[in-house]
């Protein structure tokens, strides 16, 4: 199976600063890497994703980078705002239907 | 997501009782999933189904059962064999198995 490690488990930044969350995976067959944002008591929502044939993808203040050789991918949030505060999960899809999630990063953006 | 309905929102289980969590979708998605989330942890896959009348075990299937008789519905039964059922249960769907997953609002299950 797949093993996904996510770091850090908690991250506190000042409003306007950047935040970076990293995930490593073990199965080289993994080919799809989504990131989800979950606010307290709510459902996870997809914020960005990347496939294994792409090295970087951006969507406004959010970007994801993928290094297939090193088997790691990262979420970058620039110009953070208080509403970015949430738990962020990475995931790696390694077989038909199966994805493994990281344990999550609690991001706090201080005004 | 609009289009994925989980019910009930809160559910209480007595000792020795089976309970069923409902997940209905009108997105016409082929794939459906059940995840369990414990406090401070990530999502763990219980069961998934890529097509009607077919489903596979995930990483923590023991004590759970599912059915997929209709494309729109993927109910999860938490049996009495699941000794620690207290958790937040999330249903998800995707158009195909290699497409993004969309989540319902979840069911919070507790033991009485």
């Amino acid at each position: 199976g797949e093993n996904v490690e996510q770091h850090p488990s908690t991250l506190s930044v000042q409003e306007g600063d950047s935040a970076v969350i990293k995930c490593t995976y073990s199965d080289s067959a993994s080919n799809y890497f989504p990131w989800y944002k979950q606010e307290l008591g709510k459902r996870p929502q997809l914020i960005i994703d990347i496939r294994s044939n792409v090295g970087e993808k951006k969507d406004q203040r959010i970007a994801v980078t993928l290094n297939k050789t090193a088997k790691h991918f990262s979420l970058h949030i620039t110009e953070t705002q208080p509403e970015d505060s949430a738990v962020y999960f990475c995931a790696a899809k390694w077989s038909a239907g199966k994805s493994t999630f990281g344990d999550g990063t609690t991001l706090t953006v201080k005004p | 997501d609009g289009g994925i309905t989980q019910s009930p929102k809160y559910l209480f289980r007595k000792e020795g009782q089976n309970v069923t969590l409902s997940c209905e979708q009108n997105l016409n998605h082929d794939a459906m999933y059940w995840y369990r989330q414990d406090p401070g942890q990530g999502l763990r896959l219980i069961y998934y189904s890529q097509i009607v009348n077919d489903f596979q075990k995930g990483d923590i299937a023991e004590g759970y059962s599912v059915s997929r008789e209709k494309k729109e519905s993927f109910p999860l039964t938490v049996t009495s064999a699941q000794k620690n059922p207290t958790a937040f249960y999330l249903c998800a769907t995707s158009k195909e198995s290699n497409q993004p997953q969309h989540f319902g609002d979840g069911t919070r299950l507790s033991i009485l």
Side-chain angles (χ1 to χ4, degrees):
Chain A
E2 173 65 282
N3 182 45
V4 175
E5 294 190 1
Q6 183 172 344
H7 298 281
S9 57
T10 60
L11 180 59
S12 182
V13 299
Q14 209 64 38
E15 183 177 0
D17 287 350
S18 295
V20 181
I21 303 170
K22 296 182 180 179
C23 288
T24 60
Y25 62 98
S26 60
D27 193 331
S28 57
S30 291
N31 58 11
Y32 174 65
F33 307 92
W35 285 90
Y36 293 88
K37 175 183 180 182
Q38 187 179 29
E39 297 177 2
L40 191 63
K42 297 194 173 179
R43 58 182 162 84
Q45 290 190 288
L46 180 73
I47 55 173
I48 196 166
D49 57 4
I50 192 167
R51 298 192 181 273
S52 57
N53 59 347
V54 175
E56 182 175 359
K57 184 176 178 181
K58 288 184 79 171
D59 183 3
Q60 300 182 335
R61 297 187 296 110
I62 294 173
V64 57
T65 58
L66 171 64
N67 183 326
K68 287 195 310 183
T69 304
K71 294 183 193 167
H72 67 71
F73 55 111
S74 299
L75 177 71
H76 305 254
I77 306 174
T78 59
E79 301 171 28
T80 53
Q81 301 166 3
E83 50 266 38
D84 293 330
S85 296
V87 180
Y88 291 81
F89 293 98
C90 64
K93 179 185 169 296
W94 52 276
S95 77
K98 283 195 149 185
S99 293
T100 298
F101 283 74
D103 285 341
T105 296
T106 301
L107 173 64
T108 303
V109 180
K110 300 179 199 173
Chain B
D1 282 5
I4 303 172
T5 302
Q6 286 190 245
S7 61
K9 191 168 182 178
Y10 299 96
L11 187 57
F12 297 91
R13 195 191 87 170
K14 296 179 182 178
E15 290 288 336
Q17 185 183 44
N18 293 354
V19 292
T20 297
L21 285 60
S22 171
C23 179
E24 302 279 330
Q25 56 111 348
N26 63 6
L27 301 171
N28 200 32
H29 284 178
D30 287 321
M32 298 186 74
Y33 314 80
W34 274 106
Y35 290 93
R36 170 178 171 143
Q37 186 175 30
D38 292 283
Q41 295 188 31
L43 283 68
R44 291 184 290 168
L45 183 65
I46 305 172
Y47 269 98
Y48 65 102
S49 168
Q50 297 180 77
I51 197 167
V52 176
N53 292 322
D54 188 45
F55 50 83
Q56 284 80 41
K57 292 182 179 180
D59 300 317
I60 55 166
E62 187 173 348
Y64 301 96
S65 66
V66 293
S67 63
R68 186 86 187 274
E69 296 175 2
K70 299 186 300 180
K71 188 174 186 177
E72 303 79 21
S73 179
F74 191 40
L76 172 74
T77 296
V78 184
T79 75
S80 56
Q82 173 47 248
K83 297 305 179 189
N84 184 23
T86 298
F88 189 46
Y89 290 87
L90 286 158
C91 174
T93 73
S94 63
K95 190 168 173 53
E96 296 168 356
S97 63
N98 63 347
Q99 295 294 316
Q101 293 183 22
H102 303 270
F103 288 85
D105 286 332
T107 292
R108 199 165 295 278
L109 176 61
S110 303
I111 294 182
L112 276 179

